Amino acid sequence: MNSQIELDNIVEVINRAKTIGIFTHVSPDGDAIGSSLGLYLGLKQLKKDVDVVVDEYSRCFHFLPAREDMKEEGRKEYDLAIALDCASQSRLFDPNDSFLHSKVTVSIDHHASNTYFANFNYVEDESPATCKTLIKVLKRLNVSINKEIGECLMAGIITDSGGFRYSTVDDETFEFAAQMLDVGVPISDIYYRTFDVKTKAQFELSSIATSRLTFYSKDRIAFTYITMEDLKKVKAAAGDHEGIVNIGRNIEGVEVSIFLREDEDGTYKVSFRSNDFVDVSEVAKMFDGGGHARAAGCTIDPPFEVAVKKLIKETVKRL
Ligand code: AMP
Ligand code: MN
Ligand code: MN
């Protein structure tokens, strides 16, 4: 489907809907939260009856406007359910299955691995963030992107682009940031809160993970992990593991960084990052995961040693 036509369709179904539910992926990051709140505020401006449903998230985003309106679950059904920053229905946080029961569904996203699971799908796989893709939708809906909406969108753009560092950042991204400065969005403050400030538990987890860094394939792969015991010991809260995968990635000569985190259910959540050429979404796909070329993830079963061996083996193949 031509994406321009799909955008037209999405604008039309949003204009037509009275009740709208906004959903995003489990373990929401800055882009998931920012795009959800940004669209929520935009649809409020259009006087829609709208809910925003978001899973537990890091307290570094507590400064965002309207976050107290977030709901833990959706209604039974909506005229329209919108999934943001989510590549597949199985990754969607939706405890009430509202998405499944809604009359019309839309997905707005920037994952190349998006499965086109909604009735209408607007996916820009070259976009640095769903928040950036959302600008087009909001403009087409004649929403005024004010300071509050701008704060939400900039939080997503800044975090998902590694602070304007990734190659997906284009002239439009900087132009939008400049416009947002003009309407009063405190960009340096958002940068500081989302990037520089670490919780104590986050700092402690980072030092544990740093002490366990192991290198493979002539130091081109860096690997580390944290266990449930570590998470309990430091009294970790949602999002306190964020940033650990970058420790390995930022070491000179490392192409792929792999970070494994034990989950409550005994499985391991895996984060992959690459620097120059390895498409880590391909590696993640081998384990039923997905993501982007330079940032991807999957879930893998224990035992630990077997899991690590498999992950390293699939990564080495692509070096
Ligand atoms: P993370 O390492 O958790 O920050 O995730 C990096 C990227 O991989 C994000 O774009 C996620 O959407 C994607 N991702 C993470 N885990 C999975 C998974 N189990 N299945 C599909 N995609 C994932
Ligand atoms: Mn995300
Ligand atoms: Mn994203």
Side-chain angles (χ1 to χ4, degrees), residues 25 29 31-32 85 110-111 160:
H25 64 78
D29 51 19
D31 194 26
D85 195 43
H110 70 131
H111 289 87
D160 244 30

Side-chain angles (χ1 to χ4, degrees), residues 221-249:
I221 300 173
F223 169 80
T224 193
Y225 66 95
I226 52 175
T227 63
M228 272 314 292
E229 210 182 315
D230 301 325
L231 292 163
K232 280 187 194 132
K233 199 172 90 187
V234 306
K235 299 192 177 65
D240 279 340
H241 62 278
E242 291 291 340
I244 291 179
V245 68
N246 293 325
I247 300 170
R249 201 194 65 163

Side-chain angles (χ1 to χ4, degrees), residues 65-192:
R67 64 170 202 92
E68 58 287 344
D69 291 358
M70 282 176 174
K71 300 216 163 8
E72 286 170 11
E73 58 177 38
R75 299 176 207 172
K76 278 257 163 324
E77 67 158 85
Y78 294 91
D79 293 342
L80 172 65
I82 305 177
L84 296 171
D85 195 43
C86 186
S88 62
Q89 195 154 337
S90 61
R91 294 265 301 153
L92 202 62
F93 176 73
D94 179 14
N96 230 351
D97 283 335
S98 319
F99 195 87
L100 208 66
H101 297 126
S102 291
K103 289 178 195 138
V104 182
T105 58
V106 159
S107 156
I108 301 170
D109 187 28
H110 70 131
H111 289 87
S113 59
N114 191 294
T115 58
Y116 288 68
F117 58 96
N119 299 134
F120 301 100
N121 302 274
Y122 187 58
V123 181
E124 284 186 333
D125 58 10
E126 307 262 288
S127 170
T130 297
C131 281
K132 198 222 152 192
T133 297
L134 204 53
I135 299 166
K136 277 195 194 124
V137 182
L138 292 172
K139 284 192 174 158
R140 284 286 309 276
L141 287 165
N142 293 320
V143 166
S144 145
I145 303 184
N146 55 22
K147 178 170 179 275
E148 283 70 35
I149 297 177
E151 279 176 354
C152 300
L153 299 185
M154 284 315 301
I157 291 172
I158 289 173
T159 51
D160 244 30
S161 69
F164 301 105
R165 276 181 300 184
Y166 302 150
S167 58
T168 45
V169 172
D170 56 7
D171 50 352
E172 282 175 11
T173 317
F174 285 114
E175 276 161 18
F176 180 69
Q179 286 163 19
M180 291 302 99
L181 271 180
D182 279 347
V183 298
V185 174
I187 290 187
S188 65
D189 191 49
I190 296 175
Y191 210 106
Y192 174 72

Side-chain angles (χ1 to χ4, degrees), residues 37 40 52 57 62-71:
L37 285 175
Y40 170 75
V52 56
Y57 60 97
H62 280 193
F63 68 96
L64 288 175
R67 64 170 202 92
E68 58 287 344
D69 291 358
M70 282 176 174
K71 300 216 163 8

Side-chain angles (χ1 to χ4, degrees), residues 200-212:
K200 186 157 171 265
Q202 201 174 6
F203 170 75
E204 288 169 338
L205 286 178
S206 296
S207 53
I208 295 170
T210 303
S211 72
R212 290 183 187 146

